Amino acid sequence: MSASVLYDEPGPRARVRHRLVGVATLGLIGAFVAFTIYRFTETGQFEPLKWKQFEYEAIQLQLLHGLLATLEAAGTAAVLALIFGGVFASARISDAWIFRAPATFLVELFRAIPLLILIFFGYYVPLQYGWHISNFWALVAGLTVYNGSVLAEIIRAGIAAIPRGQAEAAYALGMQKGQVVRLILLPQAIRAMLPSIIGQLVVLLKDTALGFIITYPELLYVGKQMGSRLAFDLPYVPTYLVVAAIYIGMCAIMSAFANWLAKRGDGKRSPAPTPRR
Amino acid sequence: MNSCRTASLMGMGVLAIVMALGACGKKDEPRAAGSTSAAVGTGDKCASSGVKLTPATDVKIEGSKTYDKIKGAGKIVVGVKADQPNLGYKDADGKRCGFDIEVAQLVAARIGIDPSKIEYKEIPSTNRETAIKGGEIDYYVGTYSITDKRKNDVGFAGPYFIAGQDLLVRKDESAITGKDTLQGKKVCSATGSTPLQRVREQKLTDDGNISEFKTYSECVSQLLDKKVDAVTTDDAILKGFAAQSPSKLKVIGQPFSQEKYGIGVAKDDTAFRNAVNDVLEAANKDGTWKKIYDGTLGLSGSSATQPPAERY
Amino acid sequence: MLEFFRTLTNNWDIFSRGFLTTLKLFVIGAVGSLTVGTILATMRVSPVPVLRGLGAAYVNIIRNTPLTLVFAFLVFAAPKLGIEIAFEPAAYTALTIYTAAFICETLRSGINTVPVGQGEAARALGMTFGQVLYLIVLPQAFRTVVPPLISMLNAMLKNTTVAAGFSVVEAGAIQAYLSERGENQVVTLFWITFGFLCFVVPLILLQRYLERRWAVVR
């Protein structure tokens, strides 16, 4: 990346200056790490008692169940949100206002409401009318309508970005609107939008952590319970470090995948927008 | 490029950590079991009263939806708490114990279900009515105060215990001696709990000084961090916490309410409610209640007698 | 029908208190995350590799962490390390830490849209990195960047509700208060939604307006 807007290839003096700034920054980072370690020792975070609970099989299982609960909610919601997104994106580009108007309204509405409130709706409203929804489905419902609406927007934008010639050519071949969307536009839009879609699924995965508020026993909820064990001297710090590592690991793998896809798409597209297969 | 590589590198690093954790756990399994029996020092070992419960046979509860459901499933789903030492607790080995847990087991056994067939669900204070109304659980035993307002939503068997609202403070606290010394102090309790409502109604402290969390253990954490000055709820709960950390915490011991703990059941299932009341009354007569109490909650130091069931 | 409005008027105290706190969280969080986000973006486009690495590490870690975990860390874990922080400041801090990572990325992508010639011309005039960035590039990037920035801030506004789980009485906490007072949950949630729409819709409209107005620039 030599051609930056902001700076040229550094000369000898600039290089020295950059190195100095670099060393100073490293020094600051080092000081920060040292301070953190000092605080950790000072407050006894390294004491075996605080880490001891990770040795218990029941606790490991609990952590695993939390992780599985997170993945289960995220997986279910991801599938449903993709369906929701596809359906609503199609409705939004429909020629019939009877589909377009309500779809547009709902997508805009769901995107404007905080996810937490949507989850509350899923949990408390059915109860008011005497039916019961488990906290799993309340969480999944909230995640689905919120992320589904965002996905609908992403897919719609993706379809809008496809060169008009594609649709025109398809119409010229005698295809109907439904066929054009389903066979020509959606596949291309999804391919182009795949990185954004995966990015949104990462958001969805992270948002499962809101489940704690309706006490769905996901990973963070388990972490809170573990951290609040008085018998292990409230090991919040060790527990959250482990929980954070798991979240960051899962999301980073997904983000890396999205980045890889993005790069792969770019590389292939840059010579000429040739249709593949 | 940069961010991608960083991300995947971090991902791999984290995976390695997770795998290492898993691996070390497996290797340590036998040792973990060993360290539990020696875990007296950490105080996280579940103690049971040792009362033996054999499931009753020839039980019949006519016209109870809950009972039919239980019979059909062959198991009971009981709502409990898991973070209240000596009441409803789950230790690091995953064992449940405490007064509430054993009362739940007692009820199960006496209506003909093996206590080992109980499926426990941890339901925090805010969600209790929801869980019962929705049929997510068959009954709830977890420091559940009988109130008129809650009777609109659920039914109560019992009471099986009477507690009183009290205050938990840091050991070195001298300014707080009772509920009237709370003005200007920061008080913490669980969202949607009766103690919290009482603090608000009686204006024991400014609304801005009230902190709410989902569970009492989170409040205790804030108390030890000095971000709140007192945790308020029933003495039974507070004593359990104080017993786990006697060098840092104490209970004031000036209860200012009467909390009758009931067993939450479906509102319209009077037949089931009566059956549970029968179980509680029988346990009073034959001394089982006393044995359970002495072996669990009684360990925190005070004695108690079983209140008579209120049938309504 | 009357009942429906009574839920709002009878509990006006808690509704106004909740939404005022939400507004406060939003304003402080917005100022904080824009500031931190700009600093991070500066680091990520700077010629010093260490700074770039540090910025990238921050963004990658925070973007992959749930906001709820950031909150939980500040409220429960930080005090265990001797870092005292009250509940409301913890909420500002969590929102800032989290949103800054996204703001940084938005700014960075905006910077990349500015033609290279602009920077080259500025440097030919002898401007330093800071001058190029703040006088030439960022002002031009601003137009492309403002609509997505508004949508980031909009997301943050919605994210303030997470504070409800961490002892901050904002709009997301109203529901628990009113269920304690025995109000109808559906009506309560309706009014909370309505309140949010009053904040969110103007922001969305502003974003759309700017998008349309500035779309033709390049």
Side-chain angles (χ1 to χ4, degrees):
Chain A
M1 303 262 142
S2 51
S4 164
V5 202
L6 296 163
Y7 50 88
D8 298 303
E9 206 47 45
R13 271 173 66 193
R15 224 171 288 149
V16 171
R17 203 169 56 227
H18 292 168
R19 209 160 288 157
L20 278 178
V21 177
V23 170
T25 317
L26 277 180
L28 281 177
I29 297 174
F32 178 75
V33 171
F35 177 73
T36 311
I37 294 178
Y38 166 76
R39 289 296 342 162
F40 268 53
T41 359
E42 192 78 342
T43 55
Q45 301 306 326
F46 291 124
E47 273 164 29
L49 177 63
K50 293 223 175 189
W51 294 83
K52 197 170 175 181
Q53 60 168 334
F54 291 110
E55 283 177 19
Y56 288 85
E57 201 197 339
I59 301 257
Q60 291 167 3
L61 273 179
Q62 208 185 348
L63 209 53
L64 185 68
H65 285 311
L67 178 61
L68 289 179
T70 291
L71 291 176
E72 203 184 332
T76 316
V79 172
L80 293 177
L82 282 171
I83 297 172
F84 185 101
V87 169
F88 274 72
S90 315
R92 282 201 69 179
I93 57 166
S94 162
D95 291 329
W97 67 269
I98 198 144
F99 293 126
R100 206 171 53 228
T104 308
F105 175 74
L106 285 180
V107 165
E108 295 289 347
L109 180 69
F110 288 145
R111 287 198 309 153
I113 303 176
L115 176 56
L116 190 80
I117 304 296
L118 287 175
I119 295 173
F120 280 162
F121 266 109
Y123 194 57
Y124 293 105
V125 172
L127 269 176
Q128 197 78 35
Y129 300 103
W131 340 318
H132 178 68
I133 286 204
S134 70
N135 47 15
F136 172 78
W137 285 109
L139 177 62
V140 167
L143 288 170
T144 300
V145 291
Y146 182 77
N147 292 288
S149 300
V150 178
L151 286 173
E153 251 329 269
I154 293 177
I155 296 172
R156 192 187 63 92
I159 291 176
I162 293 171
R164 207 186 302 159
Q166 295 283 333
E168 282 167 357
Y171 283 124
L173 289 176
M175 285 189 181
Q176 284 172 343
K177 169 105 186 184
Q179 288 174 303
V180 175
V181 172
R182 198 156 33 88
L183 299 173
I184 308 293
L185 298 180
L186 261 186
Q188 294 191 62
I190 287 181
R191 190 170 301 149
M193 289 286 124
L194 209 49
S196 318
I197 290 175
I198 294 179
Q200 191 58 34
L201 295 183
V202 172
V203 172
L204 188 152
L205 175 64
K206 288 194 299 174
D207 282 345
T208 54
L210 281 176
F212 89 95
I213 214 146
I214 53 165
T215 59
Y216 177 67
E218 41 73 47
L219 187 56
L220 191 60
Y221 183 81
V222 170
K224 266 186 156 185
Q225 274 191 332
M226 288 171 59
S228 67
R229 275 186 195 276
L230 257 180
F232 296 105
D233 200 16
L234 299 172
Y236 275 110
V237 177
T239 311
Y240 281 160
L241 286 181
V242 171
V243 169
I246 298 174
Y247 271 114
I248 294 170
M250 289 191 300
C251 297
I253 290 169
M254 279 175 79
S255 306
F257 182 58
N259 279 336
W260 178 76
L261 276 179
K263 213 149 310 130
R264 191 166 148 265
D266 279 358
K268 284 219 174 131
R269 187 111 29 95
S270 48
T274 43
R276 267 155 276 171
R277 253 199 280 187
Chain B
M1 44 140 242
N2 216 338
S3 69
C4 175
R5 218 177 42 218
T6 326
S8 49
L9 266 179
M10 277 190 326
M12 277 187 264
V14 167
L15 256 183
I17 296 172
V18 173
M19 277 177 342
L21 256 174
C24 111
K26 270 211 183 95
K27 201 173 63 201
D28 278 357
E29 245 171 51
R31 193 144 48 88
S35 67
T36 320
S37 46
V40 189
T42 70
D44 199 44
K45 197 189 159 205
C46 249
S48 106
S49 67
V51 173
K52 289 260 184 309
L53 297 165
T54 38
T57 47
D58 65 290
V59 184
K60 246 189 227 132
I61 306 175
E62 294 288 339
S64 162
K65 260 197 287 175
T66 314
Y67 183 70
D68 293 344
K69 191 181 140 214
I70 293 170
K71 267 280 137 177
K75 63 164 190 182
I76 287 191
V77 186
V78 182
V80 293
K81 289 195 175 166
D83 62 341
Q84 292 173 353
N86 292 343
L87 275 161
Y89 194 70
K90 187 164 134 185
D91 74 4
D93 271 324
K95 241 185 84 192
R96 290 180 193 273
C97 58
F99 185 58
D100 285 337
I101 302 287
E102 293 200 29
V103 168
Q105 292 170 344
L106 169 80
V107 173
R110 298 277 163 92
I111 63 170
I113 301 287
D114 190 326
S116 65
K117 292 268 172 61
I118 297 180
E119 183 188 326
Y120 296 98
K121 270 211 168 161
E122 286 151 30
I123 311 273
S125 303
T126 16
N127 301 32
R128 291 185 288 207
E129 288 84 36
T130 329
I132 295 170
K133 264 163 104 179
E136 193 183 330
I137 53 176
D138 296 320
Y139 56 87
Y140 187 94
V141 194
T143 61
Y144 200 11
S145 303
I146 303 175
T147 65
D148 286 338
K149 207 194 114 206
R150 284 178 184 156
K151 278 183 186 168
N152 292 329
D153 291 316
V154 299
F156 283 105
Y160 61 92
F161 185 74
I162 292 184
Q165 183 169 355
D166 209 331
L167 302 167
L168 179 76
V169 293
R170 289 180 293 271
K171 189 88 180 182
D172 56 7
E173 179 67 67
S174 55
I176 299 174
T177 52
K179 69 162 184 161
D180 298 322
T181 53
L182 281 180
Q183 287 304 335
K185 300 285 181 188
K186 294 200 172 68
V187 179
C188 188
S189 196
T191 315
S193 63
T194 331
L196 195 65
Q197 288 168 42
R198 189 166 293 116
V199 172
R200 286 219 177 91
E201 274 158 22
Q202 303 190 359
K203 299 203 173 5
L204 297 181
T205 188
D206 288 347
D207 216 20
N209 280 334
I210 298 173
S211 297
E212 296 179 30
F213 284 97
K214 287 275 161 189
T215 58
Y216 292 116
S217 44
E218 288 172 299
C219 279
V220 174
S221 171
Q222 298 299 332
L223 177 67
L224 288 169
D225 292 336
K226 303 197 171 134
K227 280 162 75 180
V228 301
D229 302 308
V231 178
T232 183
T233 182
D234 311 339
D235 49 2
I237 301 172
L238 298 178
K239 277 176 191 163
F241 287 120
Q244 273 202 333
S245 193
S247 59
K248 291 180 188 159
L249 297 169
K250 67 178 181 194
V251 178
I252 296 293
Q254 300 277 331
F256 50 95
S257 75
Q258 238 198 15
E259 305 295 336
K260 296 174 184 165
Y261 286 171
I263 295 176
V265 298
K267 188 190 173 197
D268 43 11
D269 200 338
T270 318
F272 190 70
R273 201 172 69 215
N274 286 334
V276 175
N277 277 330
D278 293 344
V279 170
L280 292 174
E281 266 168 14
N284 190 12
K285 275 191 204 113
D286 66 14
T288 318
W289 185 92
K290 181 99 179 74
K291 265 186 228 152
I292 291 177
Y293 177 81
D294 289 344
T296 51
L297 199 50
L299 297 176
S300 334
S302 42
S303 63
T305 49
Q306 182 182 4
E310 285 169 11
R311 289 167 189 269
Y312 65 94
Chain C
M1 201 59 208
L2 211 56
E3 276 300 297
F4 183 77
F5 287 102
R6 281 224 179 103
T7 303
L8 182 67
T9 48
N10 287 354
N11 301 292
W12 183 247
D13 56 332
I14 185 67
F15 272 104
S16 55
R17 183 177 160 203
F19 274 101
L20 271 179
T21 315
T22 296
L23 192 63
K24 201 166 144 197
L25 289 177
F26 173 65
V27 172
I28 299 181
V31 172
S33 54
L34 283 172
T35 316
V36 179
T38 311
I39 297 173
L40 281 171
T42 312
M43 282 167 70
R44 285 210 72 175
V45 297
S46 81
V48 184
V50 180
L51 285 178
R52 282 206 301 269
L54 188 60
Y58 178 95
V59 168
N60 280 314
I61 289 175
I62 297 300
R63 273 207 307 187
N64 290 323
T65 309
L67 173 62
T68 322
L69 183 57
V70 181
F71 263 98
F73 201 91
L74 285 175
V75 173
F76 292 109
K80 305 286 177 294
L81 296 171
I83 300 162
E84 292 299 331
I85 176 164
F87 299 126
E88 235 182 72
Y92 311 141
T93 317
L95 288 168
T96 298
I97 290 176
Y98 183 79
T99 318
F102 293 86
I103 300 245
C104 160
E105 286 305 277
T106 311
L107 283 175
R108 198 170 65 106
S109 65
I111 289 170
N112 288 336
T113 62
V114 176
V116 180
Q118 294 286 334
E120 282 169 351
R123 282 194 300 279
L125 292 175
M127 287 187 170
T128 63
F129 168 75
Q131 284 172 320
V132 176
L133 180 61
Y134 293 112
L135 296 177
I136 308 294
V137 175
L138 270 186
Q140 293 189 60
F142 197 65
R143 287 192 151 190
T144 21
V145 154
V146 164
L149 275 188
I150 294 177
S151 99
M152 286 287 141
L153 293 181
N154 209 336
M156 194 201 74
L157 172 61
K158 289 182 279 171
N159 278 337
T160 54
T161 47
V162 176
F166 299 92
S167 201
V168 178
V169 183
E170 41 71 52
I174 294 174
Q175 187 269 341
Y177 260 75
L178 292 201
S179 102
E180 202 176 284
R181 292 184 187 176
E183 292 284 356
N184 182 318
Q185 309 260 10
V186 182
V187 178
T188 309
L189 285 173
F190 171 84
W191 284 118
I192 299 174
T193 306
F194 180 78
F196 263 101
L197 291 181
C198 292
F199 286 105
V200 172
V201 170
L203 271 177
I204 293 180
L205 292 181
L206 178 68
Q207 181 200 339
R208 299 271 159 86
Y209 170 74
L210 292 180
E211 249 166 13
R212 218 163 301 142
R213 213 180 130 198
W214 289 346
V216 277
V217 171
R218 250 184 279 282

